[in-house]
Structure formats: structure tokens, C-alpha cells
């Protein structure tokens, strides 16, 4: 199943999403998220938009590490948001994280509202990436920062081959089974392969207006951080 309906897919897997992430990344995703949030450069105050926030992992980390920051966490999957909202409330962060339903391709905000925009493992799922990047650019304040995290592939020959084997053969089978969808992790692998090469994506960010685009590889390139400024 190459092109599932993305919103329904995340609505379906929402209940098991956090556990599957932890288990299938051997808990390394927690470290990637920490690195992402540590890459935020703005001072402690401010307003941050975490788009495709899902179950609010990044939004909560931002709020926990930056006690004077407010976060807007947006997603178009009601079930992912519901789980995120429950976690936010349980951790006493509801006064600092506002969760809302929205499509990243049409953001419900005026120009220059946010000090930073973050999106973790989200943009790969959005075909209209140029449009989405332009939306992010519009809602950022001048000088504001964008941080995008996506999956990549290690380049080192042996590790690269081993990882490709895990990623193409094992992860889809195990993931499709434990997510009880029969397709969600096959889609994950396909979508990572279909994501533009780093250089192409950097160009796309620049064409949306961003400057100073930097790439940081995490865990030999299994995850990649793209940071830039408006
Ligand atoms: C792989 S999850 C990542 C969730 C979260 N950022 C994290 O790091 O765990 C991708 C999320 O993107 C959301 N998403 C995909 N396309 C979207 C769009 N066009 N607008 C808003 N959210 C979208 C999905 O609903 C899902 O919650």
C-alpha cells in the first residue's frame, strides 16, 4: 500500500504510536528528540509552533526544558492529538502547550507570530512540501528559527547495508504486525526512500526563503536535523 490516507493512518495507529516508536528505534528516538530541542537557539521565552506534533513528544520536551516558552502543537489527526493532550494534562503542562487541529499546508496563523517552528518526522508525510515550508516561513518572525527532523540513511558501507536490511526487511514486517495495520511501516519505509536527498531538500528550504540552512546527522545519519533562519 504505497499511498495510504495519511490522516486515517495516524488516527488508526495513534494508540500504539509511542510504544512502537520506542521499541522499533530501541529507545534512540528519545535522544534524537532531545537533540532537536537542544538545537533551539532562541532565548527561553517566546512562542514556538510544533507542527505535526502527534502525541506531543516534542512539544512537551520544549515546554519542560524552557520554562518560559509557550508551545502551539498542531496536527491534523484528532486521535494523535487526543493522546497528546492527555499526556500534556497529566504532566501539568496544559497552561503552556496549546494543542490544536490544523493542516500544515494551511496554517491558521497570521504572519510573523512564532519565534521558532519545529516539525519532527512530519514533513516526509506531506507531499506539498514547498507549500508547507512557505507556510512555516510566513508564520515565523524575522530571525526566527526552523528545525526539521527526518529519517535518513547511514552512508558508511557496512553499517549502511545492515541498516538498509533492518529498515527495508525487518522494520516493515514487525511494524506492520505490531501496529495491526498491515501497512503503516511499509509506508514508513517507502516514504523515507521517497523523501528528497538532503541537498535537494536544503534547496527547497532556501527556495521557501530560509537562509543559513545546516544539516546535522544523528546516529550516523539515521535521523537528520535541518536548521535554518527566516
Ligand atoms: C510520524 S508522526 C510524528 C509525530 C511527532 N512529531 C513525533 O515526533 O512523534 C507524523 C505526524 O504528522 C501528522 N501529519 C501528517 N501530515 C500532516 C499535515 N498535512 N498537517 C498536519 N499534521 C500532519 C500526522 O497526523 C502525525 O501525527
Amino acid at each position: 500500500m504505497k499511498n495510504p490516507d495519511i490522516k486515517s493512518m495516524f488516527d488508526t495507529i495513534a494508540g500504539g504510536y509511542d510504544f512502537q516508536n520506542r521499541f522499533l528505534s530501541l529507545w534512540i528516538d528519545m535522544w534524537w528528540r532531545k537533540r532537536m530541542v537542544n538545537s533551539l537557539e532562541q532565548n527561553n521565552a517566546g512562542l514556538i509552533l510544533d507542527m505535526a506534533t502527534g502525541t506531543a513528544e516534542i512539544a512537551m520536551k520544549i515546554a519542560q526544558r524552557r520554562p518560559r516558552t509557550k508551545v502551539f502543537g498542531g496536527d491534523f489527526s484528532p486521535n494523535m492529538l487526543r493522546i497528546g493532550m492527555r499526556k500534556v494534562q497529566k504532566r501539568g503542562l496544559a497552561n503552556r502547550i496549546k494543542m490544536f487541529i490544523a493542516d500544515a499546508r494551511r496554517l491558521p496563523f497570521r504572519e510573523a507570530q512564532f519565534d521558532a517552528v519545529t516539525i519532527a518526522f512530519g514533513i516526509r508525510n506531506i507531499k506539498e512540501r514547498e507549500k508547507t515550508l512557505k507556510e512555516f516561513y510566513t508564520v515565523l518572525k524575522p530571525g526566527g528559527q526552523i528545525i526539521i527532523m527526518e529519517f535518513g540513511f547511514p552512508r558508511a558501507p557496512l553499517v549502511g547495508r545492515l541498516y538498509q536490511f533492518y529498515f527495508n526487511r525487518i522494520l516493515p514486517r514487525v511494524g506492520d504486525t505490531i501496529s495491526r495495520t498491515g501497512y503503516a511501516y511499509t509506508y514508513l519505509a517507502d516514504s523515507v526512500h521517497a523523501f528528497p536527498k538532503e541537498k535537494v531538500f536544503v534547496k527547497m528550504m532556501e527556495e521557501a526563503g530560509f537562509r543559513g540552512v545546516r544539516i546535522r546527522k544523528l546516529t550516523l545519519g539515521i535521523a537528520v536535523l535541518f536548521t535554518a533562519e527566516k
Side-chain angles (χ1 to χ4, degrees), residues 6-7 10-11 13 17-18 21-22 29 33 36 50-58 74-78 80-81 102-105 119-126 128 132 149 151 188:
I6 304 296
K7 185 153 84 164
F10 282 104
D11 271 338
I13 65 172
Y17 176 81
D18 283 334
N21 260 344
R22 298 297 101 80
D29 72 302
R33 290 169 206 285
M36 182 181 196
D50 180 45
M51 231 13 241
T53 195
T55 59
E57 287 287 304
I58 294 291
D75 201 287
F76 73 174
S77 155
M80 293 289 275
L81 273 184
D103 191 316
R105 295 166 290 193
I119 177 164
F121 307 119
I123 196 128
R124 172 179 39 86
N125 299 295
I126 304 174
E128 300 84 350
T132 305
M149 182 154 66
F151 287 111
L188 168 71

Side-chain angles (χ1 to χ4, degrees), residues 36 40 48-51 58 62 116-120 146-148:
M36 182 181 196
L40 280 167
I48 295 183
L49 172 66
D50 180 45
M51 231 13 241
I58 294 291
I62 296 173
V117 172
T118 54
I119 177 164
I146 183 161
I147 310 185
I148 298 173

Side-chain angles (χ1 to χ4, degrees), residues 13-124:
I13 65 172
Y17 176 81
D18 283 334
F19 170 73
Q20 285 153 34
N21 260 344
R22 298 297 101 80
F23 180 71
L24 293 168
S25 75
L26 307 174
W27 274 254
I28 298 171
D29 72 302
M30 303 290 278
W31 182 74
W32 295 336
R33 290 169 206 285
K34 205 164 145 195
R35 284 292 303 270
M36 182 181 196
V37 174
N38 285 348
S39 303
L40 280 167
E41 278 162 9
Q42 273 76 19
N43 61 21
N44 202 348
L47 189 61
I48 295 183
L49 172 66
D50 180 45
M51 231 13 241
T53 195
T55 59
E57 287 287 304
I58 294 291
M60 288 193 305
K61 268 215 168 37
I62 296 173
Q64 282 162 340
R65 290 185 77 82
R66 303 164 59 94
R68 287 170 52 226
T69 301
K70 287 217 157 117
V71 187
F72 273 60
D75 201 287
F76 73 174
S77 155
N79 289 355
M80 293 289 275
L81 273 184
R82 205 166 295 129
I83 287 167
M85 260 145 77
R86 226 180 284 147
K87 285 160 60 180
V88 164
Q89 271 158 9
K90 217 165 141 194
R91 280 168 220 184
L93 293 168
N95 57 339
R96 297 193 26 242
I97 302 179
K98 185 174 162 37
M99 306 281 279
F100 65 100
I101 293 249
D103 191 316
R105 295 166 290 193
R106 282 180 301 277
L107 292 176
F109 299 108
R110 279 182 287 121
E111 223 179 296
Q113 295 284 294
F114 294 96
D115 296 283
V117 172
T118 54
I119 177 164
F121 307 119
I123 196 128
R124 172 179 39 86

